[in-house]
Every structure is written in C-alpha cells, then in structure tokens.
Amino acid sequence: MTGPVDGQDLDRAGGFRGGRPAAGRGHSGAGPERRPERRGRGGQRPTAGGRGRPAGRSAVDLPRHAAYEAVAAVNRDDAYANLVLPAILRDADLVGRDAAFATELTYGTLRRLGTLDAILTEAAGRDVARIDPPVRDALRLGAYQLLYTRVPAHAAVSATVDLVRSVGAGATGFANAVLREVASRDADAWVARLAPPLETDPIGHLALAYSHPQWIVRAFAEALGGDLGETTRLLIEDNERPPVHLCARPGLADPVAMADEVGGAPGAFSPYAVYSGGGAPGDLPALTEGRAHVQDEGSQLVADALTAAPLDGPDGRWLDLCAGPGGKSGLLGAVAAQRGARLTAVEVSEHRARLVRQATRDLPVTVLNTDGRTVGATPKLAEGHFDRALVDAPCTGLGSLRRRPESRWRRQPSDLPALTRLQRELLSAGLRAVRPGGLVAYVTCSPHVVETHVTVTEAARRAAVPVDFVDARPLLPKGMPGLGDGPTVQLWPHRHGTDAMFLAVLRRG
C-alpha cells in the first residue's frame, strides 16, 4: 500500500498509551525519566511551561517545541508525523513522559486540525490561512491544549505565547489575545456555536464536531448504510489514540508468551495479534530478532483469511502483488514456511522493496522490484502460475486515519479516479496470475464504496477469466461481530478495534 511505513504512531514515537496526559510538573508531563535538557537559544535551558526562565529571556518548553517542529514539518513540508517525530524526539533527548506529552500534542493537534482551525478563525477574527504559518501552528498546539487536554489554561496560554515568541517575534500580543478568546469556551460550546445544526446539516455538523472533511464523513456514512449514529461512533474512534498491534509470527513466536514478554495482551481476534504494553516497539527484542513485527490486527486478519480459504490442488506458490512495506508479506511468509509454500512479493518502489526484503529475511520469500500490473511479462511473474494471491491495493487510506491523522487533510475526492483505475488493473493482474481454481484476496485500507464494492465488482465483471466470489466471513475468526451479509467483509475501528480493512476473496474459474 502507498504511504508511510506502518504508522502505528504514538507508541512508536514515544510510548504514550492510555488516557490524556497528566498535568505533571510544569504541565508538560515531565517525569523522572527525563534526560538532561539541551541548551536553548542564547544558552539558557528551555523550561517546562516557562517556569524559572531568566528575566527578559524567552524559554520554550522542550516537549511543546518538539511537537511544534513535528506539526510544522507536516504542514510545511508534507511530512508524515510518524516518520519525523521520532527523529525530533531523539534530537531533543526526550524520553518517557516528556516524549509522551510531545507525541500527544502532535497527533492530537493533527487529528483535530479542522475543528481547531474553525475555532481559531472565529477567535482571531480572520481566516487561519491569513495567519503567519509558524504562528498558526503554535496557536493550533495551544488551542488543542486548551480544549482537549487537562493542561491548565494559564499554563497552555503562557507556554504557547513563549513558543510564539521563539518562532514569530512580534506576534505575542496577538497570540495571547487569540488564546484567551479560545479559552473562554470549552470544546462543546465552540462546536455548538460554530457547527451547522445536526438536524438540517448532519454531515456538516459531524465534520466540524469530529474534525473530518465533509467528503470523508459522507463516504463513511454511505459505507455504514446511512446510519449517522454509527458514523458518529466511527468518527469518535478515529480521534482516539490507537494501541500498537504486534504480529507474533507463526512458527517463530507464541502470542500468549509474547504478550507476557512485552507487558501486553493477546489480540481479540487474530491468532497472531498482541496488543503492546507500551514503549517504543523498535526497542523490543521480539522485533529486532524477527519474531514479530508491527501490524494492525485488521491487516493480520485479511492476510490470514487468504491462507485459510479452502483450495483444491497444489498450494505451494503464493503471491503478494503490492507488498510494500512488508507487514503482510512477513505474515504470509511465516505461514508459508510452516506449510511448505513459497511467497513471491512484488513491490514497484525500490525503497519499499528494500523494506520488504528486510521484513522477510530468513523466510521463504522472493522479492521482485517491479510493477504488479506486469503479470505475464516475465517468467518470475507468469500468468496462471500462483495458487494464492494477495492484492493489497494502493488506496486513499481512509481506514487508517487514526494512525495517520494528516491523511484526512491531504486526501481529496479527486484522488479517487486514478486510484480506482489502478486498483482494477492490479486486481485484474492478480486474477491472471493465479491458476484456474486459484484464489485472490482483494484488500484495501479504506471503506469508501468506490474503492471497495465498486472496484471489486467492476474488476470481476471485466476480467478476462471466469471469476466467482468466495464468502469471506467464514475465513475470519468464529464469533467476530458485525461482518455484514457477505460475501465481502468490512472491518471497522469502532466495531472491531482494527483499521477499516475491506476484504473480498475471488476464485478464478
């Protein structure tokens, strides 16, 4: 799939899990794990909430400044938070509660950006687009603290004004006035003031109240059959911090033992899932030793469904047609090793192909750096050669917005035509790649009906080979709720605690 490497963001960045950060020392969440702070501008030491700063000097709280740098990189450079924030935290020597607080501010601000911008526009008396970008990002962080955390108002305002002083000299008076206006109401009161009425404009109301673009809210509602109550629950879940899910690789790790090892718990549905107990996953021996990898439980379930589907005839040649960055290939390769099969993993991006090789080292996996649509152009990717194929197609990623919050503001409806055309072409290639009787699992991390039902129906209709749908529901763990009427399956954050993964299984006639 396209996008950054598996963005299970908060724990990877700093280990923050659970509820909102405590208003600790200096209201920054600072705790005993804090390392010695670096000197700031002018040689002074930045302080928590501005406490103890030298007279006449600006002092910026390190966790807040780290969050500012990450938010600014996302908005200025189109960076991905889950890629830039860990480096920022390392450079600032932030660990423990400070890192957790910086992470909470970063991801919370990015998730709530739409609501925050509407409130700041009202409080400032001008559109946020007219505010100097560094000041605007600092105000967003301050408004998030005021409206969505337990940081006391005076600390949030004071620390944000200090931050503005360091990034936008001359705007401190403006920032102070805007933030005090923001602090005059709580989040619910601001929504009541600014959002259109739910009764007359439910999509507009939900979009502002829960900080999603209107077109995404509309797409979610359509995928949920028009149920606005369930749509609301989904939007709420999208704004929560997701736990890190690990995949205990079959044959290499036992999920129950691994849960004890990482201080977590076994997953609710996937036989390989472990919910991390906290901390940066990259520091876990299970990951560095190749016994596990970070992977959403929903991604595990749809990959495992392909291996669980009944198949007549030979079953030794498997294909992952869109393999980067390698999470599903890692799971499929581990299962293949147990069953005497071999996986061919195809990835068009050279960088992501390297990630797949790294993720599947020591497994029976061959990685091809080529376009998956070229099935039939080379003996290594021959038509009718494979028994099972996974087509984890590039998509809008609307199903993982809780992990990649900046995506909700970057994606546009205009992205859909090119993506759906690519999805149909890749699924068609996957159907050509399998032998008669072979199976293809079509997967997207999006619930948008155009990327799911429309794409798979159109691809099956246009296929040059006979195609039958296989009911995917029995391929998932028994007792999973809310799987619908079949034959396809849509997973949901608010129903299953997973990303919103779509699964269709097709058999070539």
Side-chain angles (χ1 to χ4, degrees):
M1 296 178 66
T2 57
V5 177
D6 287 337
Q8 304 213 29
D9 40 45
L10 295 180
D11 294 74
R12 173 174 291 184
F16 185 86
R17 298 183 75 247
R20 291 174 177 171
R25 186 176 62 205
H27 315 295
S28 71
E33 296 176 89
R34 187 170 189 166
R35 294 177 183 172
E37 295 174 346
R38 295 184 175 186
R39 295 287 177 175
R41 295 181 180 179
Q44 84 273 16
R45 179 175 294 148
T47 60
R51 189 163 59 96
R53 64 176 177 262
R57 294 234 184 156
S58 166
V60 178
D61 174 89
L62 275 178
R64 288 180 172 93
H65 195 271
Y68 166 80
E69 289 183 341
V71 169
V74 168
N75 293 325
R76 180 189 64 235
D77 305 326
D78 287 337
Y80 291 102
N82 71 301
L83 298 182
V84 298
L85 182 59
I88 291 170
L89 296 177
R90 286 194 300 270
D91 288 345
D93 289 332
L94 291 176
V95 296
R97 296 171 106 187
D98 279 352
F101 184 59
T103 301
E104 159 69 3
L105 292 187
T106 299
Y107 285 94
T109 299
L110 293 172
R111 289 189 181 101
R112 298 285 185 174
L113 202 60
T115 306
L116 295 173
D117 280 0
I119 294 169
L120 287 170
T121 292
E122 180 75 6
R126 69 178 77 167
D127 194 289
V128 290
R130 295 175 53 207
I131 300 174
D132 187 47
V135 176
R136 180 171 64 223
D137 285 333
L139 288 174
R140 287 163 167 166
L141 285 161
Y144 178 75
Q145 293 170 67
L146 288 168
L147 299 172
Y148 297 107
T149 76
R150 294 196 299 265
V151 174
H154 68 88
V157 171
S158 174
T160 304
V161 170
D162 283 341
L163 179 58
V164 169
R165 184 177 289 113
S166 73
V167 302
T172 55
F174 168 72
N176 185 68
V178 170
L179 291 170
R180 291 189 181 280
E181 178 64 19
V182 171
S184 68
R185 296 177 178 85
D186 63 18
D188 290 340
W190 275 113
V191 168
R193 176 183 174 91
L194 299 176
L198 181 63
E199 298 75 18
T200 58
D201 185 3
I203 298 299
H205 180 91
L206 293 175
L208 191 141
Y210 299 107
S211 198
H212 285 66
Q214 289 195 27
W215 76 273
I216 293 180
V217 177
R218 192 173 292 109
F220 286 171
E222 183 180 3
L224 288 165
D227 188 328
L228 293 179
E230 193 169 9
T231 301
T232 301
R233 292 193 290 275
L234 170 59
L235 298 175
I236 291 171
E237 192 65 30
D238 258 0
N239 288 332
E240 293 297 317
R241 293 175 292 273
V244 166
H245 295 172
L246 306 177
C247 176
R249 291 186 170 182
L252 299 173
D254 175 74
V256 174
M258 181 166 290
D260 291 338
E261 178 183 335
V262 303
F269 302 114
S270 167
Y272 315 118
V274 174
Y275 301 156
S276 173
D283 297 336
L284 296 174
L287 271 70
T288 59
E289 295 166 4
R291 294 182 286 119
H293 59 266
V294 175
Q295 186 179 31
D296 179 79
E297 187 173 15
S299 293
Q300 299 175 38
L301 288 167
V302 295
D304 189 51
L306 174 63
T307 72
L311 179 67
D312 293 329
D315 192 16
R317 297 169 175 173
W318 298 0
L319 173 67
D320 185 351
L321 202 60
C322 314
K328 295 182 181 68
S329 290
L331 175 54
L332 290 174
V335 177
Q338 290 187 308
R339 290 166 51 171
R342 185 164 192 90
L343 176 72
T344 298
V346 178
E347 173 52 48
V348 66
S349 161
E350 183 178 351
H351 166 67
R352 289 164 69 83
R354 287 197 299 270
L355 294 176
V356 177
R357 290 189 182 94
Q358 181 180 355
T360 59
R361 63 186 184 276
D362 301 325
L363 294 174
V365 177
T366 299
V367 180
L368 301 181
N369 180 200
T370 190
D371 191 326
R373 293 172 291 182
T374 62
V375 168
T378 169
K380 293 182 179 179
L381 198 56
E383 291 190 19
H385 178 74
F386 298 93
D387 305 305
R388 301 177 189 265
L390 174 67
V391 179
D392 182 18
C395 65
T396 56
L398 301 187
S400 59
L401 296 184
R402 57 189 189 146
R403 300 194 187 279
R404 297 171 183 167
E406 62 279 316
S407 294
R408 71 182 73 179
W409 312 116
R410 292 180 180 170
R411 284 298 188 187
Q412 301 294 330
S414 58
D415 297 332
L416 286 166
L419 280 170
T420 53
R421 181 170 59 252
L422 176 60
Q423 290 158 4
R424 290 194 301 269
E425 292 171 351
L426 286 165
L427 180 50
S428 175
L431 291 168
R432 296 197 313 271
V434 297
R435 61 171 174 80
L439 295 164
V440 177
Y442 172 76
V443 169
T444 64
C445 188
S446 171
H448 199 299
V449 293
V450 174
E451 299 187 271
T452 57
H453 295 285
V454 173
T455 288
V456 74
T457 301
E458 277 297 296
R461 184 180 67 82
R462 300 181 187 184
V465 297
V467 174
D468 295 315
F469 280 87
V470 175
D471 191 347
R473 293 172 298 172
L475 308 179
L476 296 172
K478 187 176 181 180
M480 276 195 75
L483 296 183
D485 299 326
T488 63
V489 164
Q490 179 67 64
L491 303 178
W492 294 101
H494 66 292
R495 288 185 187 175
H496 309 106
T498 69
D499 289 347
M501 305 296 299
F502 173 83
L503 170 67
V505 180
L506 304 96
R507 189 186 305 275
R508 176 174 171 175

